[in-house]
Structure formats: C-alpha cells, structure tokens
Amino acid sequence: MIIFDGAMGTVLQQRGLKAGDIPERLNIENSEDIIDIHKSYLKAGAEILTTNTFGANALKMNELEYSVEEVISAAVQNARQAIIEAGIDAAVALDMGPIGELLEPMGSLEFDEAYNLYQQQVLIGVESGADLIHIETIADLYEARAAVLAAKENSNLPVFCTLTFEEDGRTFTGGSIRSMISVLEGLGVDGIGLNCSLGPEKLEPLVEEVLRYSETPVILQANAGLPVVENGETVFKISPAEYFKPISRLYKKGLAVVGGCCGTNEGFISLIANNLKNKKVKERQVTKESLVCSPSQSVNLAGVNVVGERINPTGKAAFKEALRNGDLDYILKVAVEEVDAGADILDVNLGLPDIDEKETMVKLIKELQGILDIPLQIDSSDPEVIEEALRYYNGT
C-alpha cells in the first residue's frame, strides 16, 4: 500500500487563504506555509508529496505576475525542502489539475491547446526534479487523454491519473468507469482511480468497479464528505475514523494507493498510515474484457454487435463527392441514420485517393464524437491515418 498526502487547498483556507486567492502564488510568496504543510504530511506517514500546482497552467495563471516555470519550480523545491527538514524520505508528485476550460466539442478549447498546456507543466516538472506525475480531479475523459499523452510523450516518469465521479457513476461530462479504465489503461498509466467529489463511503461502490475491471494499481483520494456551510464557513463533517472505515474495506479488496482530497489533513493520513503503511497490496481477480468505447458507452466485443459500415466511399458516388467537397454534414447525416437504425459501433472509412485522408479523418472523428456517443472503429489501409485518428479519438 502506498500512502499519498491529503488536501492542500482546504488546509490553506484554514490558514487564511481567501476565496478567489491563487494558492500557487504561495509557493513563492509564503513558501514557509507550503513547506510546513508538506512536513505535517510526512510526519503523518505520507510517502508521496503532491506539489502545490493544481492550477499551475498558463491559462489559469495568465494574470499572475509569476510564470508557470517560476511557480512549478518553486513548488517542487518546497516539497524537496520539506523532505530535508523533516528528515523523512518521500517521492514528489507533480500535481496537474483540470485546465479550467471545457475541451471541444463541449467547449471551445481545442485538444492540441490542452495538450500544449499540460506539456509545458510536464517539461518544467521534469526539469525541476519531480519523481512522478499525478493528474487529478479530471471530469472530462478527453482532457485526461490530453494530459496523459503530454506526460507520457514528454517524460519517463510514472503517471497516475484520477477522475472525479458523481454518485451515479458518471463524471460531470458523462464519462463512465469502464470507459475511463479502457482509455487510461490503453494510454499506459501506472495508477488509475478516483478522487474528490464525494466521501469514501459514497465512492466505495465505484472504486469496487475499478478494482473489478482494472489491471492497473487502483488509487482513491476521496473528500472528507460533502462540504456544508456553518456560521458562514465551509466545513467537512467526516472524521478520520469515519473516513478510514471504507478505506480499510477497499484495502482488503486490492486498493493499492490511498490519500486524501478536500477536507482531509494530516490526521486522516496518520490514521491511514498507522494501519496500512508498508502492508502488501491484496491480490484481486480482474474481469478481463475486450472493449471498444466512447466516453459514455462501452461495447463488449465478446458479444454480438451491430457495426454500421455505411461511412465508406466504396461504390458510393454521392459519398465520394461529399468527401471531395469537404461536405462532412452529408457524412454526419449517414452516421446518425446508422445509429437510429441500431448500430452499436460505427466503422469510419474515408479511403479515397484524391483527398487528404489523414486530415479529413481527424476532422470527421471530432465532428462525430461531438454529436454521437457510440464507439467508433477507425478503418484505413494507412497506419499513419489510424495513428493520427486514434490520437484525437475520445475512446478506444
């Protein structure tokens, strides 16, 4: 069992951080507080310290007087300093949270823009000496994809990724547990799981689903319950003892990494560490499946499925003309008709010699996943077309 630290933001709020203040600013202006919080977690038994860089991307910090490089470098140095002062060895995780804008098609932020923002953080984190990368509190599987690709393609560090789910087993953008597992494992993450949103008891059945289907070490960093307002202040009601009960049950089922999110502090981590630190992770029986998925739907290939194959120019004069003219609306209409007719998966083939197949395929993939939620099957005789399309496809 690996023990992460607990919350940073809510602890800083208890120390006087006002609503609207930028926590990352304190890496430079009040490093003593950040170092002190890190030390408290080390003394509680944390084996991984999370840098105070949750929102340290160029989009969120565009009005801050400090650069992303200055903030991340200072944050990693603060964690290292805490390790020195406490005399307790630990790993330092570069923390990367959501960018702050929705990606296409729900928002206006393009996938490549998101990738570039995360890439900048990764490169600085690597240069500053981070030991691993922790992507957390992500509600959009497409954003998680951009962040993981940026981490894997620009570093050799281990990559953990946790998404935030509601009680119904869906993210804010509709993503499912099974799709998360399929996409993130396909991208090669080293740890997968859930964080934030709810307390551990509410998240327990969702974590059990991850444990049942994921072959990757499973992570949980829950909130100390849902916050409530008392006397004008936001408080979390779950005690360390209440927090630990579902954690102990999940440990017996194979949970491998645990820490805390909003509302937790060194008391929560101390109780977890006192009971679980250095304990061997329990073996679990994983249900193996062959899935294709969109963010919200997964299809088991072991069953009988209907594949729509009309998105193909072979023998279709009107389809070929639409491709030559860049008329994607015609193709989208065909796709919708196939879904309405009962297709479980859409085969997408744009093999026409007189078009730029790679460029057109990427454009169509983006358009299709903006209007439909069933899995897509990328079909081409050109491996480069398939590779490029899969990069932008929000599924497996």
Side-chain angles (χ1 to χ4, degrees):
M1 172 67 77
I2 298 174
I3 313 298
F4 250 94
D5 56 8
M8 175 64 74
T10 50
V11 174
L12 285 172
Q13 289 169 7
Q14 292 168 0
R15 293 183 175 217
L17 183 72
K18 300 293 190 296
D21 287 350
I22 301 175
E24 291 78 11
R25 182 195 299 272
L26 302 181
N27 290 319
I28 296 169
E29 295 183 356
N30 193 1
S31 60
E32 294 84 1
D33 250 4
I34 305 300
I35 292 170
D36 189 53
I37 293 170
H38 284 321
K39 286 165 62 177
S40 72
Y41 284 128
L42 288 171
K43 293 173 182 177
E47 299 168 286
I48 301 177
L49 293 179
T50 309
T51 58
N52 180 35
T53 54
F54 180 79
N57 65 72
L59 191 62
K60 278 187 174 180
M61 292 175 44
N62 65 338
E63 296 182 1
L64 194 65
E65 59 270 35
Y66 304 112
S67 68
V68 175
E69 183 174 7
E70 289 173 318
V71 167
I72 292 179
S73 297
V76 174
Q77 178 57 41
N78 289 339
R80 292 285 178 212
Q81 186 61 34
I83 291 169
I84 292 170
E85 292 183 13
I88 301 171
D89 193 24
V92 175
L94 172 67
D95 190 37
M96 301 200 306
I99 291 169
E101 283 193 16
L102 285 173
L103 271 68
E104 55 185 356
M106 292 186 179
S108 59
L109 187 68
E110 293 186 0
F111 182 85
D112 286 334
E113 291 179 288
Y115 176 92
N116 291 337
L117 288 165
Y118 282 121
Q119 179 188 46
Q120 181 186 27
Q121 293 175 270
V122 169
L123 291 172
I124 298 168
V126 170
E127 179 67 24
S128 301
D131 298 307
L132 65 129
I133 295 169
H134 185 205
I135 302 159
E136 59 147 320
T137 323
I138 306 295
D140 182 357
L141 193 55
Y142 208 30
E143 184 171 7
R145 185 182 200 88
V148 172
L149 280 173
K152 300 291 286 187
E153 294 176 348
N154 296 277
S155 82
N156 294 316
L157 300 180
V159 178
F160 290 174
C161 186
T162 54
L163 272 64
T164 178
F165 282 82
E166 303 301 324
E167 199 169 347
D168 64 359
R170 296 282 177 174
T171 68
F172 170 75
T173 59
S176 72
I177 294 282
R178 304 281 280 283
S179 293
M180 174 192 74
I181 295 169
S182 183
V183 169
L184 295 185
E185 289 195 335
L187 291 171
V189 299
D190 301 282
I192 183 173
L194 280 61
N195 83 291
C196 204
S197 68
L198 301 165
E201 188 168 13
K202 296 286 189 181
L203 290 178
E204 188 173 3
L206 306 186
V207 177
E208 288 175 342
E209 185 175 356
V210 183
L211 290 167
R212 185 159 55 250
Y213 292 105
S214 173
E215 298 183 63
T216 305
V218 177
I219 307 166
L220 175 61
Q221 292 175 292
N223 282 355
L226 291 171
V228 296
V229 177
E230 292 184 351
N231 301 319
E233 293 187 4
T234 301
V235 295
F236 292 82
K237 305 294 285 187
I238 291 181
S239 68
E242 293 172 303
Y243 188 90
F244 181 70
K245 287 178 182 178
I247 298 292
S248 65
R249 293 193 293 266
L250 289 168
Y251 164 72
K252 294 174 184 176
K253 296 178 180 179
L255 186 66
V257 184
V258 67
C261 204
C262 304
T264 63
N265 54 37
E266 69 274 16
F268 290 75
I269 303 306
S270 178
L271 183 58
I272 295 169
N274 288 342
N275 285 276
L276 298 179
K277 189 173 182 178
N278 296 324
K279 284 198 172 184
K280 185 178 179 180
V281 176
K282 301 291 185 181
E283 292 186 10
R284 52 192 169 94
Q285 293 295 319
V286 176
T287 301
K288 296 183 179 181
E289 297 179 310
S290 295
L291 298 180
V292 291
C293 74
S294 68
S296 59
Q297 290 193 34
S298 56
V299 175
N300 192 332
L301 297 180
V304 177
N305 302 294
V306 178
V307 180
E309 295 188 332
R310 290 178 55 205
I311 304 178
N312 188 321
T314 304
K316 303 182 182 77
F319 198 108
K320 291 178 180 179
E321 190 63 22
L323 279 178
R324 293 189 185 102
N325 295 332
D327 182 9
L328 296 187
D329 286 342
Y330 175 89
I331 302 172
L332 295 175
K333 181 175 180 293
V334 172
V336 171
E337 289 172 352
E338 289 191 285
V339 173
D340 289 344
D344 301 305
I345 302 167
L346 284 186
D347 183 89
V348 184
N349 185 320
L350 303 180
L352 193 64
D354 47 351
I355 67 167
D356 186 329
E357 185 184 357
K358 184 190 296 185
E359 180 182 342
T360 307
M361 180 68 84
V362 170
K363 286 181 180 178
L364 181 60
I365 292 298
K366 289 183 176 182
E367 292 287 344
L368 285 170
Q369 62 192 20
I371 64 169
L372 301 173
D373 61 357
I374 72 168
L376 305 179
Q377 178 176 291
I378 314 302
D379 185 356
S380 175
S381 60
D382 186 341
E384 290 186 6
V385 172
I386 295 175
E387 181 180 3
E388 189 75 359
L390 289 175
R391 182 177 187 82
Y392 294 94
Y393 174 46
N394 192 11
T396 58

